[in-house]
């Protein structure tokens, strides 16, 4: 033993720790679909590696945990449900950001910081042996989670559902109130877990590790697979998943369907909806269109709401397309053999799901990190095609119709490059891949 280097010695200790003690992790996800769903997919991976997990939710987000409950024993998978803290700017009954416009983010974060005291009270009433070893929180909640972790000498490790490309942009923006506090708290923590894969952006991962994280610990663990592919993940839909699956199974041609969806936060305007409907009709493609439930025009005066879908559109295309209002079983749709392309806003979780599903992406970035995701995938890597500019732009229907029709052809120019990148992502999560090994290392680090 005396002649093995210190690094080898550390590796041996970690290996021994990994086989011996498994961590108890308190998971505190940020309640927004694009953050919470991948955070729970990560939790599933940690449970598979023998960890015990307690997830902190509020009553409205408790149903998100059902797929995990069905896969893991109550001995290893526990839930802590705390009341949603009231806040003057958050309507009562609202407990997730996707029920509000993105501008409500600061109010939502302020409200959630009200979970600090009830969490500390809960931990104070735990016997020492029942305390978690580490808190794995959504980085947006890091300022108050760090305080709770420090009070009990627990490790705090954070999760971000965005890529290193976007983290470098976030951290680089000169002093903005909310992100400043989050960056300082995340940097001061024990480490950062990111839903990306090393082979996608290794230089950017090393840049973030060295420039922004004093702890220099960043685990790339993506693309995270959905806990239960195909199951509805957290929303009410106008169509049961079985009906959507039957419609897809009836499609005889592989890669012949375009899936159109813009995540859980975006709603198209009436003009954008009309332009997209005209393009779909003119293209003749088969499609599934997930329309957010509030994609409605609020009529002045009686404040009633009406659907912005053009009159008669669904009737005219009923042999070609399916319109889902509300929540779509997205991972099931993207993973189906019949679906060949995806008109998307490029929310990062959806982008990775498109990659896992092997569906070439037509990018219409709308807000937040969508633009940097489009820069990387469209401009730098050439594995996706831009078809829209931003949340105010209206696409030219004729041009869009042609791209939609081309996107489901085998010789669509970006498809070959896209499938090569997909292969790297799928290798990363296989046993022995970079993301797989990082998940092993993360569990081991939680115990030391
Ligand atoms: P997605 O990545 O699309 O995130 P958003 O919902 O757009 O929300 C951050 O998430 C992004 O980087 C932000 O820019 C912002 C935010 N889903 C589903 O199953 N059915 C639906 O009808 C709608 C959504 C699932 C989808 C994905 C998640 C949304 C990370 O965009 O499968 O897992 O909800 O993720």
């Amino acid at each position: 033993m005396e002649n093995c280097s210190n690094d080898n010695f550390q590796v041996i200790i970690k290996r021994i720790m990994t086989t011996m003690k498994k961590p108890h992790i308190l998971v505190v996800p940020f309640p927004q679909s694009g953050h919470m769903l991948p955070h729970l997919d990560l939790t599933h991976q940690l449970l598979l590696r023998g960890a015990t997990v307690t997830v902190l939710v509020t009553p409205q987000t408790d149903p998100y945990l059902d797929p995990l409950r069905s896969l893991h024993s109550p001995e290893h998978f526990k839930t802590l449900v705390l009341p949603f803290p009231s806040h003057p700017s958050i309507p009562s009954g609202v407990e997730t950001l996707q029920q509000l416009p993105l501008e409500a983010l600061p109010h939502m974060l302020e409200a959630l910081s009200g979970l600090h005291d009830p969490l500390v009270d809960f931990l104070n009433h735990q016997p020492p042996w029942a305390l978690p070893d580490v808190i794995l929180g959504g980085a947006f909640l890091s300022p108050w989670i760090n305080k709770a972790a420090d009070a009990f000498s627990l490790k705090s490790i954070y999760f971000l559902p965005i890529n290193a490309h976007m983290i470098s942009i976030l951290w680089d923006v000169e002093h903005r109130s909310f992100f400043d506090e989050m960056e300082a708290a995340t940097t001061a923590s024990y480490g950062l877990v990111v839903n990306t894969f090393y082979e996608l952006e290794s230089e950017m991962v090393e840049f973030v590790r060295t420039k922004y994280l004093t702890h220099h610990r960043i685990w790339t663990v993506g693309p995270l697979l959905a806990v239960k592919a195909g199951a509805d993940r957290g929303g009410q839909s106008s169509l049961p998943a079985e009906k959507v699956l039957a419609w897809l199974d009836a499609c005889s041609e592989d890669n012949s369907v375009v899936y159109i969806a813009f995540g859980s936060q975006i709603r198209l305007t009436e003009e954008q909806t009309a332009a997209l409907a005209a393009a779909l009709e003119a293209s003749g493609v088969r499609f599934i269109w997930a329309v957010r439930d509030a994609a409605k025009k609020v009529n002045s005066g009686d404040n009633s709401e009406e659907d912005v879908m053009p009159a008669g559109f669904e009737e005219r295309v009923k042999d070609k397309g399916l319109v889902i209002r509300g929540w779509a079983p997205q991972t099931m749709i993207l993973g189906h053999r019949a679906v060949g392309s995806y008109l998307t806003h490029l929310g990062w979780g959806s982008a990775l799901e498109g990659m896992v599903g092997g569906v070439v992406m037509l990018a219409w970035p709308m807000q937040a990190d969508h633009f940097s995701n489009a820069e990387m995938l469209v401009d730098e890597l050439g594995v996706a095609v831009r078809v829209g500019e931003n949340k105010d732009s209206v696409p030219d229907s004729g041009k869009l119709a042609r791209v939609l029709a081309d996107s489901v052809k085998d010789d669509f120019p970006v498809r070959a490059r896209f499938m090569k990148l997909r292969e790297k992502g799928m290798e990363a999560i296989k046993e022995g891949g970079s993301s797989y090994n990082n998940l092993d290392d993360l569990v081991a680090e939680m115990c030391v």
Side-chain angles (χ1 to χ4, degrees), residues 33-34 37-38 226 228-235 237 239-241 244-245 248 259-265 288-292 324 326-336 339 341-359 361:
S33 314
L37 290 170
K228 267 179 126 176
D232 284 6
R233 303 195 320 144
S237 169
L239 279 179
V244 179
L245 181 58
L248 285 166
Y259 173 56
I260 302 107
F262 299 95
S264 63
Q265 206 72 47
I288 292 182
W289 184 357
V291 178
R292 296 292 298 132
I324 301 175
W327 194 263
Q330 177 158 305
T331 48
M332 177 190 79
I333 294 169
L334 289 171
H336 198 281
V339 180
S341 62
Y342 174 22
L343 173 44
T344 170
H345 61 319
L346 282 192
W348 190 241
S350 287
L352 289 176
E353 288 165 2
M355 189 178 290
V356 169
V359 291
M361 285 177 271

Side-chain angles (χ1 to χ4, degrees), residues 84 87 89-90 100 103-112:
F84 187 87
H87 185 281
S89 301
I90 305 281
L100 301 169
E103 293 68 30
L105 176 61
H107 303 313
M108 178 57 79
L109 293 168
E110 208 174 20
L112 292 165

Side-chain angles (χ1 to χ4, degrees), residues 128-348:
W129 52 266
L131 281 174
D133 301 293
V134 60
I135 303 183
L136 177 63
F140 281 21
L141 309 176
S142 52
W144 61 267
I145 289 179
N146 267 2
K147 289 191 194 109
D150 292 348
F152 292 86
S153 309
L154 307 179
K155 275 197 185 88
S156 56
I157 295 177
Y158 290 100
F159 171 69
L160 270 174
I162 56 179
N163 53 49
H165 200 93
M166 184 59 199
I167 292 173
S168 72
I169 295 171
L170 266 190
W171 257 243
D172 202 25
V173 177
E174 284 308 308
H175 307 297
R176 282 185 312 182
S177 57
F178 147 67
F179 281 114
D180 242 12
E181 221 190 331
M182 176 197 96
E183 288 145 18
T186 304
T187 302
S189 71
Y190 188 81
L192 179 63
V193 185
V194 185
N195 188 17
T196 186
F197 56 103
Y198 194 74
E199 296 74 7
L200 174 66
E201 44 175 353
S202 52
E203 280 175 33
M204 196 51 85
V205 171
E206 293 311 322
F207 178 71
V208 169
R209 184 202 311 273
T210 49
K211 178 143 194 274
Y212 297 120
L213 303 176
T214 45
H215 44 62
H216 300 317
R217 290 187 200 89
I218 179 168
W219 291 276
T220 55
V221 296
L224 287 163
L225 296 181
V227 172
K228 267 179 126 176
D232 284 6
R233 303 195 320 144
Q236 292 302 317
S237 169
S238 63
L239 279 179
E242 307 71 57
K243 181 150 186 190
V244 179
L245 181 58
W247 188 90
L248 285 166
D249 287 346
C251 297
S252 54
E253 245 187 287
D254 289 1
N255 292 334
S256 61
V257 174
V258 182
Y259 173 56
I260 302 107
F262 299 95
S264 63
Q265 206 72 47
I266 296 290
R267 290 162 177 82
L268 295 188
T269 63
E270 185 175 5
E271 208 183 351
Q272 290 169 328
T273 304
L276 179 47
L280 284 167
E281 201 163 349
S283 70
V285 294
R286 295 179 68 76
F287 66 87
I288 292 182
W289 184 357
V291 178
R292 296 292 298 132
D293 43 4
K296 295 182 167 77
K297 176 175 66 176
V298 179
N299 294 331
S300 53
D302 64 6
N303 206 23
S304 66
E305 291 189 331
E306 66 178 82
D307 204 321
V308 291
M309 197 54 75
F313 167 73
E314 289 171 83
E315 181 53 30
R316 292 195 300 273
V317 296
K318 65 176 187 291
D319 297 336
K320 289 273 184 182
L322 206 53
V323 175
I324 301 175
R325 284 176 174 72
W327 194 263
Q330 177 158 305
T331 48
M332 177 190 79
I333 294 169
L334 289 171
H336 198 281
R337 59 158 185 82
V339 180
S341 62
Y342 174 22
L343 173 44
T344 170
H345 61 319
L346 282 192
W348 190 241

